[in-house]
Amino acid sequence: MKIDILTLFPEMFVGVLNNSILKKAQEKEAVTIQAHNFRDYSENKHKNVDDYPYGGGEGMVLTPQPIFDAVDQLTSHKEKKPRIILMCPQGETFTQKKAEELANEEHLIFICGHYEGYDERIREHLVTDEISIGDYVLTGGELASMVIVDSVVRLLPDVLGNELSHMRDSFSTGYLEHPQYTRPADFRGMVVPEVLLSGNHKHIEEWRSKESLKRTFQRRPDLIKKEVLSAEQIKWLKEFENE
Ligand code: ADE
């Protein structure tokens, strides 16, 4: 996968892209990630990238030229059309499902505004997706795009050591993850559930499924789709409701 990020603050990405899994993913060549300053593409003699809004009003608006030109330069004519993602609080809210969808693409281009608004022609004629990471306003799209890059790259083949570890994640399965324990079995009198020490894999799997459903019931009941529950899960749900 190739990821290009258009931003006025490429330095913001240095720490995030050069540590941990994102660093390893690039070393393994599962992905190439580059942050580009779209000011470099400005044709304005002062390298301006924004201007006053037509009709007046507060704030500045990012002009279309540097962003359209940067995207043109980063898109090779041979490739499948890239996903061009505008980071903004008005976009669709990011989810694990969207991360999985983006992980199937060959090329992602992120556009990050900072304080300014975007000229509407960028929205209408350039981007394929507008994404928000939640109902709050950040100073810019940079942090939001890092969240998305992180969640997409960890889904690429061979990026996580244990191929299955993300399959079990909260949200991939549709339910929140079951509790986990490690040694010691007794820490200051707080003990690990007996079943996990039993070595009985069938019982352990059953315990995990039940705890996963319980946690989802307690914390995110909106994620439970009653129509797809097994008879056993329905029985468990009744137990939780009566507790
Ligand atoms: N830019 C500013 N706030 C944002 C948000 N919540 N998500 C994505 N981009 C943003």
Side-chain angles (χ1 to χ4, degrees), residues 86-91 111 113 118 131-145 148:
L86 190 76
M87 301 313 308
C88 63
Q90 307 173 11
I111 302 171
Y118 299 103
I131 304 184
S132 159
I133 61 162
D135 288 343
Y136 40 82
V137 182
L138 301 164
T139 52
E142 285 78 9
L143 290 168
S145 71
I148 297 178

Side-chain angles (χ1 to χ4, degrees), residues 56-72:
E58 279 178 27
M60 299 293 274
V61 178
L62 288 170
T63 63
Q65 179 274 316
I67 294 178
F68 271 74
D69 279 0
V71 169
D72 282 349

Side-chain angles (χ1 to χ4, degrees), residues 45-85:
K45 69 172 184 290
H46 304 293
K47 292 278 174 199
N48 286 343
V49 291
D50 54 9
D51 209 335
Y52 296 100
Y54 275 123
E58 279 178 27
M60 299 293 274
V61 178
L62 288 170
T63 63
Q65 179 274 316
I67 294 178
F68 271 74
D69 279 0
V71 169
D72 282 349
Q73 286 251 338
L74 295 170
T75 312
S76 99
H77 297 294
K78 279 181 258 148
E79 73 175 319
K80 190 180 147 216
K81 211 177 155 353
R83 290 289 276 268
I84 304 171
I85 302 162

